[in-house]
Amino acid sequence: MLRRVVSVVCFLLIAHTTAAIDKQVVCVNYKTPQGWSLGHKVKAVVAEGAELNDATMSTRYKGASTYVILLWDKEPARIIDIDLWAALSERGLTFPNKLKGNVIKLNSPFLTHEGQLGEDQQGRAWKVSTSMICA
């Protein structure tokens, strides 16, 4: 766990000097047995899996996936794998299944005010949005 946190900190130091990294404040909710948690405003960095693999010198992340790294004030960073295929299909954009294995680079991380679904490395479901109202 400590090694992962150190790796993420190193990534963030690299990201600080890289213009391609998208930094923003997001609203996040996580899934509980009773439903979705209350919203939390948190600073986040959006990166592709390939960037995370390069920064951490590992292959833990799916190269074509988009990740949101939540930078909590008093807790370890949380890395959320955003399901872009679900986000695209929610908006009526469908692709043949054979394309799913190919790398399709999107110009934006596709975070919206509606909230994108994702999952952290412990399997917990998250909803990440750019909404100004965080409930």
Side-chain angles (χ1 to χ4, degrees), residues 1-67:
M1 180 66 178
L2 180 61
R3 200 163 96 180
R4 185 180 313 161
V5 171
V6 170
S7 296
V8 170
V9 168
C10 290
F11 169 75
L12 294 174
L13 290 174
I14 294 167
H16 182 70
T17 59
T18 306
I21 303 299
D22 185 13
K23 300 174 217 168
Q24 57 191 302
V25 174
V26 296
C27 177
V28 296
N29 304 77
Y30 55 88
K31 193 73 163 178
T32 70
Q34 294 77 30
W36 290 103
S37 72
L38 293 175
H40 302 276
K41 286 273 190 187
V42 62
K43 292 178 187 173
V45 175
V46 178
E48 292 182 6
E51 292 172 306
L52 284 174
N53 285 333
D54 288 346
T56 60
M57 294 188 296
S58 73
T59 57
R60 277 184 285 202
Y61 307 98
K62 295 179 268 183
S65 287
T66 297
Y67 292 86

Side-chain angles (χ1 to χ4, degrees), residues 36 62 66-68 78-83 116-128:
W36 290 103
K62 295 179 268 183
T66 297
Y67 292 86
V68 176
R78 187 74 73 157
I79 301 172
I80 312 298
D81 184 355
I82 298 296
D83 188 349
Q116 303 310 110
L117 296 178
E119 188 174 283
D120 67 17
Q121 293 175 320
Q122 288 73 40
R124 176 177 262 179
W126 290 78
K127 196 184 312 181
V128 182

